[in-house]
Amino acid sequence: MTTALINDLCCMQLLYAQATKPELRQITNSIYSTLISEPENRAILRDKYYIPNSRVSVVNTTAEMSIEYADKLVQISGSKAAAILVNQQLGEVAYRCVFTADRTPIFELAGGASVPSSAPAVSEEQQKALVLTLWHLAFNDSDREEFLNSQNKASVLQGIEVDGNALNAEISTWIDEQVQAQNITDLKDFIGFYLYKATW
């Protein structure tokens, strides 16, 4: 397993933590606006919140995101263009971890600025379900393989329930349609936008 993939999986774990621990999301949100005026908060965000909440078990050991990777997340989180930059980053990470068989980058970059006009509206409840479903697929190889090989990906997505949360038919069908049509950029933009809204 490459360092890049470990960092991406750690990022998915951080998303899970941000979606399931409201107090964590509240604290990190309060820090973002101070990152430029109070640079010392960058290390606090990285060392106290991002890295500890990114820890995962990988091949009989515990891994956490690298300092360099966490620094990049901190940097884009504090940027004036955070909404776009974090959307792009999360869309790329989730796409690599869930929607590619070999988990290598696809060089069709997300725009990050908006959701495709064809995309369904996603409620707060469904945003959380999206985070948890993608997290589940990132960490469960057999379910991820079933999803990637399925002719009915919408059904597979709807069948995944994490902590009582599951994607509805409309969102699952839209994701399935984008995968089948290979609308990679639209899918990355959609995922990035709603992962950002649900967790950042």
Side-chain angles (χ1 to χ4, degrees), residues 40-78:
E40 64 276 9
N41 286 345
R42 295 175 191 168
I44 292 169
L45 182 62
R46 181 192 67 207
D47 298 336
K48 192 170 178 184
Y49 299 106
Y50 280 4
I51 291 176
N53 286 287
S54 74
R55 290 192 179 110
V56 295
S57 294
V58 179
V59 193
N60 299 325
T61 188
T62 299
E64 61 189 24
M65 69 176 58
S66 69
I67 288 174
E68 296 80 16
Y69 190 94
D71 279 341
K72 179 183 177 186
L73 284 180
V74 168
Q75 181 182 14
I76 63 176
S77 297

Side-chain angles (χ1 to χ4, degrees), residues 4-122:
L5 177 56
I6 290 171
N7 277 323
D8 285 348
L9 290 172
C10 288
C11 185
M12 293 299 294
Q13 184 64 34
L14 176 61
L15 291 175
Y16 176 85
Q18 293 269 66
T20 58
K21 299 176 183 174
E23 68 282 357
L24 173 63
R25 186 172 176 211
Q26 186 176 14
I27 290 167
T28 56
N29 274 335
S30 70
I31 295 174
Y32 296 146
S33 62
T34 70
L35 294 176
I36 294 173
S37 61
E38 300 172 46
E40 64 276 9
N41 286 345
R42 295 175 191 168
I44 292 169
L45 182 62
R46 181 192 67 207
D47 298 336
K48 192 170 178 184
Y49 299 106
Y50 280 4
I51 291 176
N53 286 287
S54 74
R55 290 192 179 110
V56 295
S57 294
V58 179
V59 193
N60 299 325
T61 188
T62 299
E64 61 189 24
M65 69 176 58
S66 69
I67 288 174
E68 296 80 16
Y69 190 94
D71 279 341
K72 179 183 177 186
L73 284 180
V74 168
Q75 181 182 14
I76 63 176
S77 297
S79 165
K80 291 180 179 173
I84 293 172
L85 297 174
V86 177
N87 285 357
Q88 286 176 322
Q89 178 71 18
L90 299 182
E92 295 296 331
V93 166
Y95 190 87
R96 277 195 305 270
C97 287
V98 175
F99 295 94
T100 61
D102 59 2
R103 293 183 164 175
T104 56
I106 301 291
F107 294 103
E108 213 173 299
L109 297 178
S114 63
V115 178
S117 59
S118 65
V122 181

Side-chain angles (χ1 to χ4, degrees), residues 132-150:
L132 300 182
T133 299
L134 295 179
W135 170 83
H136 174 87
L137 288 169
F139 285 98
N140 290 275
D141 289 340
S142 60
D143 288 352
R144 192 170 132 277
E145 189 173 323
E146 178 189 357
F147 169 74
L148 291 173
N149 294 323
S150 175

Side-chain angles (χ1 to χ4, degrees), residues 141-190:
D141 289 340
S142 60
D143 288 352
R144 192 170 132 277
E145 189 173 323
E146 178 189 357
F147 169 74
L148 291 173
N149 294 323
S150 175
Q151 294 303 310
N152 187 352
K153 290 174 175 41
S155 176
V156 176
L157 288 172
Q158 285 180 264
I160 296 170
E161 186 176 313
V162 181
D163 299 341
N165 297 274
L167 287 173
N168 66 28
E170 183 182 22
I171 295 167
S172 299
T173 300
W174 189 86
I175 290 172
D176 187 353
E177 289 168 353
Q178 304 322 297
V179 173
Q180 300 299 347
Q182 299 212 344
N183 290 334
I184 295 169
T185 302
D186 284 355
L187 186 56
K188 286 180 177 181
D189 285 346
F190 175 82

